[in-house]
Amino acid sequence: METKTIRKLGGDGKISEFKLDDYMRLIKDFHGSTAPGLVIGGFMVDLALQNLPKGEFFDAIAETKTCLPDAIQLLTPCTIGNGWLRIMNFSRFAITLYEKQSGEGTRVYLDPSKIEAWPEVKSWFYRLKPKKEQNFQLLLSQIIEAGPGLCGMKRVKVQDGMLEQKTHGSKIALCESCGEAFKVKDSSLCPACSGESPYVS
């Protein structure tokens, strides 16, 4: 069920603990450019953090592989490397932060009904004109002015199967095919040799 109110950023002009200018520099340094999706992503992560259920430890889900995973990694302890961030590429511009044990969380998404008031944001999001024809400064200014007002938010519960504890003590074995070491699950072949390899033989 969608929440009725959204806690907005305070009048301090910050995204999480960063001043807006500092966050913009951080984006450019980490991502390689001041990507509009990463600016919006900052507001989304900040909103989710402000509305997390009680609990000290949380994990994250990004529902797209574009921009939002970087916003999560910049503003939370959740990273791909530590396993606290999952990318589920549903191609929806949404994130969820949830308590590790209970699965109770907050999902924040770019709300199509709320971008109607921001024509440059709408044009960018729906790809109504080529990137070279977009007014980048106007787009950024509309994103910053709208801030978390572009977002919808609701409480969610993550499925129990996603709450499995990571097995740090998994058995390591050598793959019977390639001879490289891997974490054993149910096969004597590593996932790559079992057909999941991205490489052409």
Side-chain angles (χ1 to χ4, degrees), residues 23-39 67 70 74 131 136 140:
Y23 179 65
M24 300 296 243
R25 277 192 292 276
L26 194 63
I27 288 173
K28 192 166 184 183
D29 290 346
F30 185 77
H31 190 76
S33 67
T34 311
L38 201 39
V39 179
C67 289
D70 284 356
L74 284 170
K131 188 173 183 178
F136 182 72
L140 278 187

Side-chain angles (χ1 to χ4, degrees), residues 64-78:
T64 176
K65 62 183 181 180
T66 307
C67 289
L68 293 183
D70 284 356
I72 292 168
Q73 292 181 114
L74 284 170
L75 297 173
T76 77
C78 303

Side-chain angles (χ1 to χ4, degrees), residues 54-120:
K54 291 190 186 216
E56 190 174 346
F57 300 106
F58 62 92
D59 280 355
I61 296 170
E63 295 184 28
T64 176
K65 62 183 181 180
T66 307
C67 289
L68 293 183
D70 284 356
I72 292 168
Q73 292 181 114
L74 284 170
L75 297 173
T76 77
C78 303
T79 70
I80 295 167
N82 66 18
W84 298 355
L85 166 60
R86 290 185 191 193
I87 299 172
M88 306 188 81
N89 195 22
F90 303 144
S91 73
R92 298 193 301 190
F93 208 76
I95 64 161
T96 297
L97 301 184
Y98 63 95
E99 203 278 320
K100 287 179 183 286
Q101 302 299 321
S102 70
E104 299 288 336
T106 300
R107 182 176 183 266
V108 179
Y109 56 97
L110 189 60
D111 187 335
S113 68
K114 294 179 180 178
I115 66 175
E116 288 295 324
W118 307 96
E120 204 64 25

Side-chain angles (χ1 to χ4, degrees), residues 1-6 47-48 51-53 63 92 94-97 104-109 114 151-157:
M1 181 166 72
E2 184 146 351
T3 55
K4 303 249 175 161
T5 58
I6 287 179
L47 188 56
N51 291 279
L52 263 178
E63 295 184 28
R92 298 193 301 190
I95 64 161
T96 297
L97 301 184
E104 299 288 336
T106 300
R107 182 176 183 266
V108 179
Y109 56 97
K114 294 179 180 178
C151 304
M153 182 179 70
K154 59 184 175 181
R155 297 285 185 209
V156 293
K157 182 163 183 357

Side-chain angles (χ1 to χ4, degrees), residues 1-19:
M1 181 166 72
E2 184 146 351
T3 55
K4 303 249 175 161
T5 58
I6 287 179
R7 284 179 55 190
K8 292 198 175 187
L9 293 176
D12 56 7
K14 288 186 173 183
I15 294 179
S16 192
E17 76 270 14
F18 297 101
K19 290 182 180 174

